[in-house]
Amino acid sequence: MPSILPKQLRTSRLPALLIALAIGLASPIAQADNLADIQKLMKNGQYPQALEKTDAYIASKPRDAQGRFMKGLILTEMNRPVDAIAVFTKLTEDYPELPEPYNNLAVLYAQQKQYDKARTALEMAIRTHPAYAIAYENLGDVYAKLASQAYDKALQLDSANSTAQGKLSLIRDLISTGNARPAGRPTTVAKPVEPPKATPTEPVKVAAAEPAKPASPPAATVAPVAAPAVAAKPIDKPAAEPAKPAGDTAAAEGEITSAVQAWAAAWSRKDVKAYLAHYAGDFQTPNGMARKAWEAERQQRIEKPGKISVSVADVKVTINGDKATVKFRQDYKSASLNSSAGKTLVMIRSGGKWLIQQERVG
Amino acid sequence: MRRVAFGGVLLTLVAVGPALPVPGKSGAPTTTYSDAGIEAQLVRIYAEIEKNKLENALNLVESLLHQHPNFRLGHLIKGDLLLARARPISTFGNATNAPQERVADLRDEAVARLKAYKQKPTNNAVPRYLLQMQPDQKHAVVVDTQKARLYLYENDKGRPRFVADYYITHGKLGADKMKEGDKKTPIGVYHVTTSLPRQKLTDFYGSGAFPINYPNEWDKRQGRNGHGIWLHGTPSDTFSRPPKASDGCVVLANTDLDALAKNLQPGLTPVIISNEIEWLSLDDWQKERAALNKTIDTWRADWESRDTDRFLRHYSKKFQAGKQGLDEFAKQKRQVNAGKEWIKVKTENLSMFRNPGKEELVVVTFEQDYRSNNLSNQMKKRQYWIREDGNWKIIYEGAA
């Protein structure tokens, strides 16, 4: 078993890691052994040997995210940033829903002082995984670095040697491989053989992979201001729900807005029970995580010491029968992070209450 | 509440003058503007910060920097906005190890730009100095050093009409130049003498330069010296310089200098530099102008009258032209007038510019057409009229 667990690794994610390692493999034990061997070599600093073994491993499983991720790490350790960047970049293309390759890509870019690229990569990681603490921390460092560059230009400073900046954290393990699926559509005849292997229980996971999508056009979803949105609504509604009188939708809109406010309030006062009660029974957990594991993770996050403040603004609701899409800006502040991002909730009416069925950034 | 605190820090900058409604669509993060003035964009950026929409503010700064990559103030704001995401910030220009002087310079620039935007001149007030432009002077330039601003006026049938205003840099040690090397900008009525194209200049002067005639007759008389006061552009490594940074020149951003240059007529365009512009309502301006025109015409008529005493009452006891004082001048006039049977004097193309400062002084320039029974002479003349005990008197005159 992997002996060098990353320090940053959240314990609650351990079960997910095990799942990750077992995925997509005819003989899970053999793969785990292989990867464990590679990790052992890495731990001993035997990078060339580790690389050799990883290459052999990948040769037999070209699409295996875990193996390729390892290769990226090894190349990083071997101080071959260009090659490592190539590996992680390819991973982000094939598995855009995985945050870890983005994070590590950002670390490499930051090492090369390409902070704008690092920022973009980290924002992608966070877009797919809004609650990804390491990426947030790294992003904070990258913002600080970008700020420092801006100050250099503003004040004609040369801060290169004066501000020792904390190094960004490289992520050592691919955690969310659980539902990693190639992004490229399998168009060739040869490929369709692969997916069935990993996907006997898939319908839920396909949906879970969706959060990766809003990545490219987030601006479009956030952009409309309050006023035009109101004007736009009547056009939406008749098409969606011609039967409902206007008063009803207005009432529903009010209920939904209050539900969102209550959800944010529960989160702010760290009332985990009340917070979780806002989620529907069929809530699509990130990466198709087990509901229990997800709840445990949320609980652990929310109960971390320190104040949390969550507020929502610019709420826009689109109602379609008993289903609603709610877009708003979420301002989140805690001891360790501070973010302001667009968020979308898909909510359903259930037993007179509006509950969250999907939650995504963008 | 780090963001609000941050907004507060930056907003202390903008708490000047009456708050005008921010033009443009509030909220919607648009990236291009038709009225792409720096100040307008800065105002929008601060408005977003005020609303705690830091993301919008950052987008706006980045779009501004895209247009003007060397706009240092923009980089400073960007730095603050980015840093605010990483950790709480407590001041404008929160860079660690930032030289406080440079941060202060940029803060001054921000204040100057925002103030100027909020206090644009209105349509029914004119700078007191522009009493009368001569018909062929298409434009006049008025500088306010305290506001770090240059105003361009158009000669609209004698009435100055506001065209544009620009951020400027003036002397490191302020205004009211006295001596060579005092790093001050002169105060007074000048004009553009020539145009120096970019090719003839080093990068330091940017896209061009327009020398002005400091020291003028009055300056020399006051014992002021120094030379080489220019309006000029900015070196390529920065979009603009701090409000007080030059050795006495008036410095504009290159884009602004280029825009201004189109309206400058070498040898003709007046450049009036003040510490702080005095504004007059159009009515008051009209009165002042009419009164002075009347006085000048009386002087002209009195000259034609050949009554030397009548003529001499227009001259101050402190009159001086070259080495000649009032007594010598009077003596000479009496001699000359004795031989005249008739005199005709015409003043044409007359301009009157009030000199900024404590003394009530007006610079009058005109083409003088002098005819008499034994001599005719045409010349361009300049007079300095000063108000003594409520009356306008000539204290200097000479060829212009």
Side-chain angles (χ1 to χ4, degrees), chain A residues 119 123 140 143-144 146-147 150-151 153-157 159 162-163 165 223 225 314 329 331 333 335 338-340, chain B residues 2-3 26 28-29 53 58 62 72 75-76 79-80 82-87 94-99 102-103 106:
Chain A
R119 172 184 168 186
E123 285 172 348
Y143 283 144
L146 280 165
Y151 289 138
K153 285 185 188 155
L155 303 164
Q156 304 299 292
L157 303 174
S159 65
S162 49
T163 46
Q165 201 76 46
V225 227
D314 300 340
R329 200 187 72 243
D331 287 312
K333 296 186 187 87
N338 190 354
S339 79
S340 175
Chain B
R2 62 174 73 160
R3 282 154 188 249
S26 57
K53 295 194 172 169
L58 186 61
E62 283 179 341
R72 290 179 184 170
H75 285 290
L76 190 74
D80 282 348
L82 284 165
L83 196 64
R85 296 175 156 198
R87 68 178 88 111
N94 210 61
T96 45
N97 77 313
R102 289 195 196 156
V103 175
L106 290 173

Side-chain angles (χ1 to χ4, degrees), chain B residues 152-179:
Chain B
L152 177 67
Y153 277 83
E154 183 188 9
N155 183 359
D156 181 10
K157 299 185 194 92
R159 189 196 142 175
R161 199 175 288 280
F162 173 72
V163 178
D165 61 329
Y166 307 100
Y167 168 83
I168 52 131
T169 295
H170 76 284
K172 249 179 226 116
L173 298 180
D176 213 354
K177 185 172 190 66
M178 286 304 294
K179 284 190 174 56

Side-chain angles (χ1 to χ4, degrees), chain A residues 151 155, chain B residues 2 4-13 46 76-77 79-81 83-84 87-98 100 103-104 107:
Chain A
Y151 289 138
L155 303 164
Chain B
R2 62 174 73 160
V4 172
F6 169 63
V9 168
L10 289 181
L11 286 167
T12 51
L13 289 174
Y46 284 118
L76 190 74
I77 298 168
D80 282 348
L81 286 169
L83 196 64
R87 68 178 88 111
I89 70 166
S90 54
T91 181
F92 175 83
N94 210 61
T96 45
N97 77 313
Q100 283 317 298
V103 175
R107 181 186 293 121

Side-chain angles (χ1 to χ4, degrees), chain A residues 91-281:
Chain A
L91 268 176
T92 62
E93 287 164 6
D94 292 346
Y95 302 92
E97 70 279 18
L98 295 183
E100 293 88 351
Y102 281 119
N103 181 81
N104 288 359
L105 204 46
V107 173
L108 288 158
Y109 281 137
Q111 278 171 8
Q112 305 196 321
K113 300 200 190 303
Q114 301 190 53
Y115 299 109
D116 273 317
K117 283 186 176 171
R119 172 184 168 186
T120 309
L122 287 168
E123 285 172 348
M124 291 297 288
I126 287 167
R127 208 161 270 163
T128 55
H129 288 69
Y132 203 20
I134 296 175
Y136 270 111
E137 281 159 23
N138 282 341
L139 190 56
D141 288 344
V142 167
Y143 283 144
K145 205 65 206 177
L146 280 165
S148 151
Q149 280 186 333
Y151 289 138
D152 285 357
K153 285 185 188 155
L155 303 164
Q156 304 299 292
L157 303 174
D158 182 15
S159 65
N161 36 20
S162 49
T163 46
Q165 201 76 46
K167 261 197 175 172
L168 303 190
S169 319
L170 196 67
I171 292 175
R172 305 251 165 215
D173 280 84
L174 197 51
I175 294 157
S176 45
T177 339
N179 52 337
R181 328 194 65 235
R185 274 163 213 85
T187 45
T188 61
V189 190
K191 269 181 195 155
V193 186
E194 267 192 336
K197 252 199 276 174
T199 55
T201 58
E202 276 320 67
V204 182
K205 290 185 175 174
V206 176
E210 199 183 315
K213 271 186 201 153
S216 47
T221 57
V222 186
V225 227
V230 175
K233 248 173 242 159
I235 304 164
D236 272 354
K237 278 180 220 153
E241 192 73 1
K244 286 237 166 160
D248 243 34
T249 32
E253 192 179 329
E255 287 165 23
I256 291 164
T257 310
S258 337
V260 172
Q261 297 287 6
W263 162 80
W267 190 354
S268 295
R269 61 173 194 271
K270 303 177 125 188
D271 182 344
V272 177
K273 213 176 147 209
Y275 168 84
L276 290 174
H278 284 278
Y279 289 84

Side-chain angles (χ1 to χ4, degrees), chain B residues 194-209:
Chain B
T194 49
S195 165
L196 302 174
R198 182 192 275 268
Q199 306 83 268
K200 291 194 177 173
L201 302 164
T202 59
D203 179 62
F204 181 76
Y205 299 99
S207 63

